[in-house]
Amino acid sequence: MAATDLVLAFDASSGKSFADAVRGDVVGAGAVEMCVMDTAVKEAAVARFLREHPEMEQAACDRPPLLGCADVDWSQIPGCPAGVPALLRGLLDEAVGPEALPVLENLLMNSVFHMSAVMPAALPFLIRLAAVPDIAVRPDLVGLLVVAAELSSSVDADERQVLLFGKDSDHPEREWCRAAFAAHASALRALLEDGTLPAGLISADDRQCLLRALEPQRCPS
């Protein structure tokens, strides 16, 4: 894949996202260094979404999965454009959800293997949204939770992983995500035990990945 193709792959208008890449749908690990989206690109994608769906910006965050969303000071999170609540509300809309999802995913990721500082703040809402049985983007939300669980693991004990992912001290979002998973462990376990989950939606490996995110991690001394 050429470098120009990589740029297009992560344009929000393409319908692909960094989370797609982590799941192996867009690029391989060899292209990681080129797969970086800056804040200006993210802001432009959010602005385009809001222009196309102004009703999402005006709607209230009173649905149970989004309770507390309006109380988060999103503007204080580094690299977080305005409009996150509108994107989260959009996920609940059957028609708008598929458009909101890739824009939100790209806000939550800085590169293929690195989450942004927005991810820990969004996790509680993503967990609750993934539990909504009739939400159109439910499979994608479950996949996004698996991505967050996988990338929140500490890597300092493995030199090869440090080379690929960077030191834990340089990526505090990992620890913040682990704390978010722990704080909402009961909701995540309820999701995994939900009888309404379609068969095959969560593989055995993904289930174990999510459960590991709830386990205390001992940092190397």
Side-chain angles (χ1 to χ4, degrees):
M1 180 178 288
T4 52
D5 295 328
L6 290 171
V7 173
L8 291 174
F10 293 108
D11 186 326
S13 64
S14 71
K16 291 293 187 179
S17 68
F18 279 125
D20 289 323
V22 175
R23 291 191 292 265
D25 297 335
V26 179
V27 294
V32 171
E33 292 184 359
M34 291 183 285
C35 301
V36 177
M37 179 180 284
D38 62 28
T39 300
V41 175
K42 296 181 181 183
E43 290 177 343
V46 174
R48 181 166 56 248
F49 174 85
L50 295 178
R51 285 196 304 271
E52 295 173 354
H53 303 285
E55 72 281 6
M56 292 296 111
E57 193 170 18
Q58 299 164 4
C61 289
D62 56 359
R63 297 281 296 274
L66 298 182
L67 290 179
C69 177
D71 299 327
V72 177
D73 194 350
W74 299 98
S75 65
Q76 294 302 307
I77 300 174
C80 182
V84 172
L87 292 169
L88 291 171
R89 286 192 292 267
L91 296 177
L92 285 165
D93 187 283
E94 183 175 1
V96 177
E99 297 180 48
L101 182 72
V103 180
L104 179 63
E105 285 183 326
N106 284 334
L107 290 185
L108 301 178
M109 304 291 291
N110 281 339
S111 67
V112 178
F113 291 149
H114 298 118
M115 299 177 292
S116 76
V118 185
M119 180 70 88
L123 268 179
F125 308 106
L126 298 177
I127 293 171
R128 296 202 293 263
L129 284 165
V132 178
D134 57 351
I135 191 170
V137 293
R138 193 181 197 189
D140 302 278
L141 289 175
V142 171
L144 186 56
L145 291 177
V146 173
V147 168
E150 186 68 37
L151 294 183
S152 66
S153 299
S154 174
V155 303
D156 279 359
D158 188 322
E159 290 186 7
R160 294 181 63 185
Q161 290 196 41
V162 169
L163 288 175
L164 182 60
F165 297 101
K167 294 181 179 180
D168 290 337
S169 59
D170 294 331
H171 294 279
E173 69 277 0
R174 294 173 192 158
E175 183 178 357
W176 300 338
C177 280
R178 295 198 298 271
F181 275 121
H184 298 274
S186 60
L188 184 57
R189 289 195 175 95
L191 171 64
L192 295 176
E193 296 169 3
D194 188 351
T196 69
L197 284 174
L201 178 58
I202 303 180
S203 69
D205 286 344
D206 287 350
R207 183 178 296 272
Q208 288 304 311
C209 178
L210 289 168
L211 289 173
R212 281 196 303 272
L214 304 179
E215 300 173 355
Q217 296 195 26
R218 183 171 55 190
C219 297
S221 56

